[in-house]
Amino acid sequence: MSKNDQQIYTALVAEGSAVPTLLCGHCRSILSRARIFRNEGNHIRDVECMTVGLCSADDCGAVNCCDAAMASIDDSEQLFGMAS
């Protein structure tokens, strides 16, 4: 499977979390803040998303579009300001 054929999943927001937390749309693992990127400039991934999250779960590794999840967070910039 080439990079262009890779399936893109939609990240989810963890409900009831005290701090904004995104979950992988494939395996529901927590997406580490260190692996959530703005998709601008050099285009981290060739996908049509403003924000991309890479799942770090050993058996997953899915690429997630985080746009909808980020839009549902009141202060989405807060997520980029926090360490995971």
Side-chain angles (χ1 to χ4, degrees):
M1 178 183 289
S2 72
K3 179 174 135 181
N4 293 333
D5 294 336
Q6 186 172 19
Q7 184 167 354
I8 308 301
Y9 294 90
T10 301
L12 308 166
V13 176
E15 294 184 30
S17 179
V19 294
T21 303
L22 301 186
L23 304 176
C24 175
H26 179 251
C27 72
R28 306 299 192 262
S29 293
I30 293 174
L31 294 176
S32 168
R33 164 53 196 105
R35 295 180 55 89
I36 298 173
F37 307 95
R38 289 189 173 101
N39 193 21
E40 56 190 24
N42 294 331
H43 296 288
I44 296 165
R45 296 285 180 184
D46 190 22
V47 296
E48 293 185 23
C49 294
M50 298 290 292
T51 308
V52 175
L54 307 177
C55 184
S56 59
D58 290 340
D59 57 347
C60 184
V63 175
N64 288 266
C65 179
C66 300
D67 293 351
M70 295 290 282
S72 71
I73 297 172
D74 289 336
D75 184 8
S76 60
E77 289 301 313
Q78 178 185 11
L79 185 65
F80 282 104
M82 291 185 285
S84 311

